[in-house]
Amino acid sequence: MSTIRFGQHLIRASVVFLRTELSFALVNRKPVVPGHVLVCPLRPVERFRDLRPDEVADLFTTTQRVANLVERRFNATSLTIAIQDGPEAGQTVKHVHVHVLPRKEGDFDRNDSVYDELQKHDREEQEDQARWRTEEEMAQEAEELRSLGL
């Protein structure tokens, strides 16, 4: 099975649901809300400032396509789109990635709590690993998103 580099990790191609010339989109192993996905440049670049202009353009065009898809698929009324650029911003994977979270009214008691959850959602602590989705669950969601056609 083929893999793709995602920072310090290798991810299975089965969890990727879109690939363009310069970017890819994958499902999240520990989504903050249902439908929380990631969009990344294919080239493993740690910081946003280090992307080339063509990579920035493709990353954001791809993010827009993915955002429209997940908003429809998860019956959301809004989106949170975020980049944690550097460790002090909460970046845990050393590879630029855009979080796309479909949002609904009342999904958090305090709307900005979504950012608190993003800060801690994929930390590597052992006790949290029990809440991570299996490769099979992730592959199934990726297949469903692929089948919706982008």
Side-chain angles (χ1 to χ4, degrees):
M1 174 173 283
S2 64
T3 59
I4 297 175
R5 169 127 337 256
F6 179 44
Q8 62 271 36
H9 306 286
L10 284 177
I11 59 165
R12 291 184 181 171
S14 62
V15 304
V16 173
F17 63 91
L18 175 66
R19 186 171 173 157
T20 68
E21 182 182 343
L22 298 173
S23 302
F24 66 99
L26 70 150
V27 299
N28 203 320
R29 70 178 172 178
K30 191 176 166 197
V32 170
V33 295
H36 174 190
V37 298
L38 306 174
V39 183
C40 317
L42 280 169
R43 187 169 65 97
V45 175
E46 187 171 339
R47 297 293 307 275
F48 185 76
R49 67 178 174 237
D50 298 325
L51 291 170
R52 300 183 314 254
D54 59 337
E55 291 172 316
V56 172
D58 190 79
L59 181 67
F60 278 94
T61 300
T62 304
T63 298
Q64 187 177 47
R65 289 172 62 193
V66 166
N68 288 335
L69 174 76
V70 298
E71 186 172 5
R72 283 192 323 267
R73 164 57 189 89
F74 292 94
N75 300 312
T77 54
S78 298
L79 297 159
T80 293
I81 299 172
I83 298 174
Q84 296 166 295
D85 191 33
E88 290 75 28
Q91 181 184 27
T92 56
V93 176
K94 296 177 180 182
H95 189 139
V96 173
H97 55 286
V98 181
H99 293 266
V100 179
L101 294 88
R103 301 291 306 277
K104 299 176 183 178
E105 186 175 342
D107 55 4
F108 290 93
D109 290 336
R110 193 178 69 77
N111 192 47
D112 281 352
S113 293
V114 67
Y115 300 108
D116 299 331
E117 291 301 315
L118 275 174
Q119 283 283 98
K120 63 183 181 184
H121 89 284
D122 63 353
R123 298 275 181 220
E124 298 285 340
E125 284 86 21
Q126 194 66 30
E127 67 272 6
D128 286 343
Q129 290 184 11
R131 294 198 311 251
W132 293 352
R133 297 192 303 170
T134 66
E135 292 285 338
E136 293 75 25
E137 291 169 318
M138 293 169 61
Q140 183 178 358
E141 181 176 85
E143 177 57 36
E144 179 187 346
L145 292 171
R146 270 192 300 277
S147 74
L148 296 174
L150 281 170

